[in-house]
Amino acid sequence: MTGIGGVEMGAQAARSRALAVLRVRSRALAVALLPAAAAVILLVGGSTGHLAGGGWDVLRWVVSVLALCVLLAAGGVALVVARSRPAVTPTVTVAEESAPDLYRMVRDLADRLDVPAPSAIALTPDCDSWLEDRTHPAHGPPPAEKHHDDLAGPGGPAHRRSATAPVLVIGSPFLWWMRVGELRAVLAPVVAGTGPSAHPDIAAARRFIRGLDAAVAVASAGRRDPLSRVACAGLGWASRLLLRSCRGHAAEMERGVAAAAAERAQAVDYGLRIVAQEQVGLAYAGWDRLLTRVALPAWRMGRWPSRLDVGVVAALTELSRRDRLAEGFASRLGERPACDLLEEPGVMDEAVSLLAARLFHGGPAETGADWSPVGWEEYPEEVVDRTWRTDAARLHRVLDTLGVRRAAEGAAAGTDGPTLARVLDHLATPDAASTAPLNAGSDAHAAGTETENGPDTPPAAPDAPTDAPQPAYEDPDASRPPFGDSDASRPPVDDFDALQPPYGDSGTPHPPYGDHATPVLTIPAEDDEDDLADTTARGAALAAGLTAQLAREEAEARPAGARAPSSAPGPAAGPDDALWDDRALPLLPLQPPRTGREILTAHITAMVCCAAMDTAGAAPALDWLDGPSLLFDGARTADLAPSVLSLVETGDPGPLRAWMTELGIRPEKPVRLV
């Protein structure tokens, strides 16, 4: 009885708040009709001879014109509110023939909850699930079916939208990580929300709120001609006024709907739902980690991992082996995964992976020469190795622009190529360079390439003439975006709390960069001044050059990544391109722009990794929790970041040289670049 009473109380509260929203709409209509009513009274009074005279005639004309203007304005606002397309979440539609078991499970769940079944199912690249109304005319005709035994009546067509159940949107990581029983328990309170959503008053209130929100978006788009700007200003003012009046009632209405759905779902898999909620948090942590540490470096290289959901399973399985808080989670893997409810999980995973790349990075909607899929088995060579060598090539190009010598006078032959020693010698302060430990192979080179310039003096001009031919390490893929964050901010693997960064902390969009025509050596931005204050003068100059170079490359690559999607029909599992506006991608950027110090650290780390691969037999690898990693004899190296930071922040190459000596890395040997 408690559950039934809770359901009724929540539903009743939601209905009362929905009526309050509709009363705001009715009051707005009454205000719009008030001048017209006054005009009718004046006209009727004049025709009957009760309101005669010159003053009444003037008043009749003024009120009639005012009523006509108000009616036209109110009709325009009402038309925009009714016809504007509400915002719809980008998803991948799951047809019933491609997932009959999933539809059967959802319908069985709706029968047990005694609520209408969702009209369709869609997947989203996010760790959440919800119901979404897509019955607006701008989204296409609702999937209503005609039956011969339906009672025909004059009110039938008018109630068609309210009778259509919303779409069930499921987070794709849930399907691949959760077991069938866990997914059912998680979806129970979501599916239960179709009951309150079917109430006509709640459905009408929600349509009104969404229409106002869409009208505000239309007004914010702006127009060029003065008349359109005035009309948009009036539309925006009226829509925002109505939204402010409805805001409190709409929030309480949604709370009532959620409370009623939660109460109704308590009787279905209650004990299993408690366990499933733990998996929701774990899936969120692994998904966020996979996107920011693994997928983002590939997206910046023009490649998109085509099996992100498979990757989150691997990442969470790895976490279950490393983290003490995840003990026992691996035993679940013997149960049936929820992705078995799909006929072709691989096709769905690929479609969701492409959609994730578009939402979080702004990639194109189709595969092309600069935007191709990559499998996990190809990731180390196609993404990790290529990223490191691209960054290393960019680092040496900037050093060339700064006039840094390739090799000192009298150096051994073959040492004028792209070497790590060139970077170390340039960034090292004189005191640190004279006391840094050197390995046997780099003693003569380090001593011979010590520059005479102090840390605060500009670098010497290059020995070779400016029109000399460029070396063979020129980067043909310089237009590709840079590699992701360095290991400097990597949290310990066994710190479970560090695996759950909120999206809100990393939602700053990348600022647009113009086409720079200035030299690479530029003044750091004001936002980077404090960050670069912790580096040496040469480090700050090099960071500024790398930042400017990256800005140019991103500006050159942006038109290709921002092209509109093709109008040709795509596969059945493709994203719902017709339902959302993708002119402002990425919609949900993962990370803010990197600072100059982060860019410098990432490029030096990439150069060290290239030297390790070419001179010490190291290999690139993929770590499911931390992304690109370096392997020595099959073991991951995790102590590189402090040594690189010591060079960047203080100009001391000692720790880094000691680290390389221990592993047998030869900094004086040229490395292969792309």
Side-chain angles (χ1 to χ4, degrees):
M1 296 297 294
T2 303
I4 296 177
V7 172
E8 292 299 330
M9 290 181 60
Q12 189 64 32
R15 293 168 189 168
S16 63
R17 293 295 181 170
L19 290 176
V21 172
L22 296 179
R23 281 195 293 270
V24 172
R25 185 182 65 178
S26 300
R27 293 191 190 102
L29 178 61
V31 170
L33 294 177
L34 187 60
V40 170
I41 293 174
L42 292 175
L43 290 174
V44 171
S47 63
T48 58
H50 290 82
L51 301 176
W56 288 107
D57 292 338
V58 173
L59 183 60
R60 267 190 292 270
W61 277 104
V62 171
V63 174
S64 298
V65 172
L66 176 63
L68 180 61
C69 293
V70 172
L71 287 177
L72 289 176
V77 172
L79 182 62
V80 173
V81 171
R83 299 301 301 176
S84 296
R85 184 176 67 177
V88 175
T89 306
T91 57
V92 175
T93 300
V94 180
E96 185 170 359
E97 57 271 14
S98 63
D101 292 342
L102 180 60
Y103 273 83
R104 190 178 303 112
M105 185 195 75
V106 172
R107 288 187 180 125
D108 178 69
L109 189 59
D111 291 340
R112 290 189 59 184
L113 295 170
D114 194 22
V115 295
S119 60
I121 299 177
L123 300 182
T124 178
D126 197 2
C127 290
D128 198 0
S129 297
W130 65 89
L131 295 172
E132 190 164 280
D133 184 9
R134 296 185 178 179
T135 58
H136 193 274
H139 299 153
E145 297 182 358
K146 284 285 187 178
H147 299 282
H148 296 290
D149 56 350
D150 287 344
L151 294 177
H159 295 286
R160 185 178 62 174
R161 285 198 300 174
S162 60
T164 302
V167 175
L168 174 62
V169 181
I170 306 175
S172 63
F174 294 164
L175 276 175
W176 268 260
W177 174 244
M178 290 185 174
R179 309 300 99 180
V180 174
E182 294 170 348
L183 180 66
R184 179 187 179 93
V186 168
L187 294 181
V190 182
V191 175
T194 60
S197 299
H199 193 275
D201 293 335
I202 295 177
R206 284 177 167 176
R207 285 198 301 270
F208 180 57
I209 296 296
R210 287 194 300 270
L212 290 176
D213 184 72
V216 170
V218 171
S220 301
R223 299 295 185 271
R224 292 184 178 180
D225 55 290
L227 183 60
S228 297
R229 285 200 298 268
V230 172
C232 287
L235 172 63
W237 175 83
S239 301
R240 292 185 180 92
L241 178 63
L242 292 175
L243 273 178
R244 285 194 296 268
S245 302
C246 299
R247 181 180 302 163
H249 299 302
E252 293 298 328
M253 178 185 69
E254 296 301 335
R255 290 192 185 98
V257 170
E263 287 289 341
R264 184 180 293 273
Q266 279 189 354
V268 179
D269 300 333
Y270 180 74
L272 186 58
R273 190 161 70 249
I274 297 177
V275 178
Q277 288 300 325
E278 299 178 0
Q279 304 304 318
V280 171
L282 190 65
Y284 176 85
W287 182 249
D288 184 86
R289 190 83 169 198
L290 183 76
L291 292 181
T292 56
R293 297 301 180 91
V294 178
L296 187 58
W299 294 338
R300 286 173 171 168
M301 286 295 299
R303 308 294 298 273
W304 55 277
S306 58
R307 294 294 186 268
L308 282 179
D309 291 302
V310 172
V312 76
V313 175
L316 293 175
T317 304
E318 179 68 16
L319 177 64
S320 68
R321 289 197 292 261
R322 295 188 191 182
D323 197 277
R324 61 183 183 274
L325 298 178
E327 293 179 0
F329 288 143
S331 61
R332 307 168 42 260
L333 302 181
E335 304 174 12
R336 185 189 182 194
C339 63
D340 281 356
L341 300 174
L342 304 174
E343 291 293 318
E344 297 181 352
V347 175
M348 289 295 173
D349 194 0
E350 184 173 355
V352 172
S353 300
L354 181 57
L355 179 59
R358 300 185 65 193
L359 294 180
F360 299 121
H361 185 67
E366 298 175 344
T367 298
D370 297 330
W371 187 247
S372 57
V374 60
W376 294 126
E377 65 280 355
E378 304 168 350
Y379 189 95
E381 291 295 331
E382 296 293 329
V383 176
V384 180
D385 182 87
R386 191 174 180 182
T387 295
W388 286 341
R389 299 189 187 279
T390 300
D391 282 1
R394 184 183 299 110
L395 177 62
H396 281 278
R397 286 200 307 273
V398 174
L399 289 175
D400 289 340
T401 307
L402 294 175
V404 179
R405 294 188 181 94
R406 298 175 187 269
E409 298 179 0
T415 59
D416 58 346
T419 63
L420 177 58
R422 180 193 188 196
V423 181
L424 299 180
D425 294 340
H426 175 66
L427 293 178
T429 59
D431 294 339
S434 60
T435 59
L438 305 175
N439 59 32
S442 60
D443 287 342
H445 176 75
T449 57
E450 182 67 33
T451 59
E452 299 177 356
N453 299 323
D456 297 322
T457 58
D463 296 335
T466 56
D467 57 351
Q470 295 297 320
Y473 62 86
E474 187 69 24
D475 181 16
D477 298 320
S479 60
R480 284 187 168 83
F483 172 60
D485 295 342
S486 68
D487 292 299
S489 59
R490 176 181 299 165
V493 175
D494 59 351
D495 183 4
F496 182 74
D497 293 334
L499 302 184
Q500 306 183 58
Y503 282 110
D505 292 345
S506 59
T508 305
H510 292 263
Y513 294 102
D515 186 9
H516 299 273
T518 57
V520 174
L521 181 57
T522 58
I523 300 175
E526 293 182 0
D527 295 340
D528 290 344
E529 288 182 357
D530 294 339
D531 179 75
L532 294 177
D534 295 332
T535 64
T536 62
R538 291 187 178 183
L542 184 56
L546 290 170
T547 302
Q549 178 69 16
L550 282 173
R552 284 197 296 271
E553 294 175 5
E554 290 179 5
E556 295 172 358
R558 188 170 298 111
R563 61 177 181 267
S566 173
S567 58
D576 304 325
D577 292 331
L579 301 182
W580 57 286
D581 186 1
D582 60 353
R583 290 175 295 179
L585 293 174
L587 300 180
L588 304 169
L590 289 178
Q591 292 180 335
R594 293 181 296 174
T595 64
R597 187 173 65 169
E598 291 173 344
I599 292 175
L600 177 60
T601 302
H603 282 71
I604 295 176
T605 302
M607 187 63 199
V608 173
C609 293
C610 290
M613 291 187 294
D614 291 349
T615 67
L622 166 62
D623 187 282
W624 290 111
L625 295 176
D626 293 323
S629 59
L630 186 68
L631 296 183
F632 273 96
D633 298 328
R636 174 187 166 190
T637 59
D639 53 353
L640 174 59
S643 302
V644 175
L645 285 178
S646 177
L647 176 65
V648 171
E649 295 176 352
T650 65
D652 181 12
L656 184 56
R657 289 189 183 275
W659 183 84
M660 292 187 296
T661 301
E662 180 181 356
L663 296 176
I665 301 174
R666 304 288 298 275
E668 79 282 0
K669 295 292 185 182
V671 299
R672 178 178 60 86
L673 305 179
V674 290

